[in-house]
């Protein structure tokens, strides 16, 4: 074993030992009516630690007090960078502030793909969100084609650099990154532990180079109660962003419990 490897192993052990409890975040996407959300929270019960939900707007507004009572942190899946105006179908920061949200989701691959969300718009959103006192969870991820043709590293670093370009060192302290390989979302097959380990290490190194600091880094893409322990045990994984498995209270609860043991 050469010196480089030993240093790496020690660093990873220190990182693993010193990190905070894992963050468990659920993205409900376009699922969960108010009634379904209420039933979900009843079954979930109270939680401790960093547990976050991103419900659709109607459910978010209706169930914000109930989520607070349960100890669940919450926020919207998207938001606009302007405070108001002629933007049909959009939601602004002042509207979100009324609901006492703590974290805003930005840049999910489904929004980038289906609603043409650009890096330019995202750089405005992240700056607006952070400067309004919120934490912002920025999603990044490569397509299957980019993974296969070796352009995934460039793509991920570019997304981070462009989407956070207007933030100062101090402001970056309010940003979390969710790495979600597009090809692992909703497929039932997560990235392998090797891929997750390699990618998260690369991203943490890139953060140090780009921003001079590391940001919390979550993994998302077919996380469930069966693979959460192994994924959560990878160095540089600070939590999960969960889609499908966050819709089932028993599964989501199980992942929360697992995250305490990792
Ligand atoms: P799945 O957990 O269903 O793969 O979704 C991941 C996701 O997109 C969370 O934002």
């Amino acid at each position: 074993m050469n010196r480089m490897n030993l240093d790496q192993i020690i660093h990873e052990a220190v990182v693993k030992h010193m990190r905070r409890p894992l963050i468990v975040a659920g993205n409900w996407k376009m699922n969960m009516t108010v009634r379904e959300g209420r039933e979900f929270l009843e079954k979930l019960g109270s939680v401790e630690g960093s547990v976050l939900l991103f419900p659709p707007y109607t459910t978010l507004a209706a169930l914000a007090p109930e989520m607070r009572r349960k100890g669940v942190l919450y926020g919207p899946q998207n938001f606009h960078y302007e405070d108001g105006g002629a933007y049909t179908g959009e939601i602004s920061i002042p509207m979100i502030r009324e609901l006492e949200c703590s974290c805003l989701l930005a840049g999910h691959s489904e929004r980038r793909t289906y609603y043409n969300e650009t890096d330019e718009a995202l750089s405005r959103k992240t700056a607006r969100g952070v400067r309004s006192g919120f934490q912002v969870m920025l999603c990044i991820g490569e397509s299957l084609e980019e993974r296969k043709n070796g352009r995934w590293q460039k793509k991920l670093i570019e997304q981070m650099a462009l989407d956070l370009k207007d933030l100062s060192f101090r402001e970056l302290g309010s940003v979390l990154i969710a790495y979600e390989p597009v090809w692992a979302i909703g497929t039932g097959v997560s990235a392998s532990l090797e891929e997750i380990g390699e990618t998260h290490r690369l991203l943490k190194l890139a953060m140090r180079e780009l921003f001079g600091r590391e940001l919390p880094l979550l993994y998302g893409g077919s996380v469930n109660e069966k693979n959460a322990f192994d994924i959560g045990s990878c160095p540089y994984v600070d939590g999960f962003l969960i889609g499908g498995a966050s819709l089932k209270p028993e599964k989501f609860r199980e992942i929360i419990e697992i995250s305490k043991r990792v």
Side-chain angles (χ1 to χ4, degrees), residues 7-254:
D7 281 348
Q8 188 67 50
I9 288 166
I10 291 170
H11 180 67
E12 287 183 2
V14 169
V15 165
K16 188 160 189 279
H17 187 67
M18 285 183 55
R19 67 185 172 181
R20 297 160 299 167
L22 293 179
I23 299 159
V24 181
N27 174 11
W28 282 354
K29 309 191 179 184
M30 198 174 72
N31 299 293
M32 287 281 189
T33 62
V34 174
R35 185 178 55 75
E36 289 164 345
R38 191 169 287 124
E39 283 170 16
F40 175 99
L41 291 174
E42 262 167 38
K43 287 192 184 142
L44 181 71
S46 293
V47 299
E48 282 166 19
S50 305
V51 178
L52 263 156
L53 282 174
F54 297 104
Y57 298 129
T58 49
T59 307
L60 176 69
L63 299 183
E66 189 55 21
M67 286 191 277
R68 279 203 298 282
R69 274 195 289 278
K70 302 274 187 208
V72 175
L73 303 170
Y74 53 86
Q77 298 167 14
N78 181 38
F79 58 99
H80 203 278
Y81 48 79
E82 295 289 352
D83 272 355
Y87 298 99
T88 302
E90 291 290 325
I91 296 282
S92 73
I93 293 272
M95 296 168 188
I96 287 157
R97 186 176 284 120
E98 279 188 330
L99 303 178
E100 298 182 38
C101 297
S102 46
C103 188
L104 319 175
L105 196 62
H108 192 280
S109 67
E110 286 148 19
R111 294 216 51 87
R112 293 179 191 258
T113 308
Y114 304 142
Y115 305 102
N116 302 320
E117 188 142 78
T118 62
D119 290 313
E120 178 53 35
L122 280 164
S123 72
R124 291 204 205 182
K125 286 188 184 196
T126 55
R128 184 74 181 87
V130 166
R131 287 173 195 157
S132 304
F134 293 101
Q135 292 207 304
V136 175
M137 189 182 291
L138 174 72
C139 303
I140 60 171
E142 83 284 5
S143 66
L144 185 58
E145 197 194 337
E146 286 158 342
R147 173 59 61 170
K148 283 190 173 155
N149 68 20
R151 278 193 284 120
W152 58 275
Q153 306 186 343
K154 186 169 174 287
K155 172 67 177 279
L156 296 174
I157 293 171
E158 215 168 72
Q159 283 182 331
M160 277 200 309
L162 293 175
D163 299 352
L164 302 174
K165 72 177 168 37
D166 293 328
L167 296 179
S168 67
F169 178 84
R170 193 180 56 77
E171 288 169 338
L172 284 161
S174 300
V175 176
L176 305 93
I177 302 285
Y179 166 57
E180 299 203 300
V182 176
W183 44 275
I185 294 178
T187 59
V189 183
S190 73
S192 70
L193 297 179
E194 291 71 30
E195 286 164 334
I196 296 171
E198 182 191 15
T199 310
H200 276 233
R201 180 185 302 149
L202 172 99
L203 290 173
K204 288 275 184 171
L205 287 171
M207 288 169 189
R208 268 186 257 154
E209 271 185 31
L210 288 170
F211 311 128
R213 68 188 300 167
E214 288 186 10
L215 315 179
L217 181 57
L218 287 71
Y219 169 79
S222 297
V223 173
N224 57 41
E225 71 288 2
K226 297 196 179 71
N227 59 22
F229 186 86
D230 289 339
I231 294 175
S233 301
C234 289
Y236 306 108
V237 171
D238 301 311
F240 314 111
L241 181 56
I242 308 160
S246 75
L247 298 171
K248 300 267 182 295
E250 317 78 38
K251 290 189 179 191
F252 194 57
R253 165 60 74 180
E254 206 174 328

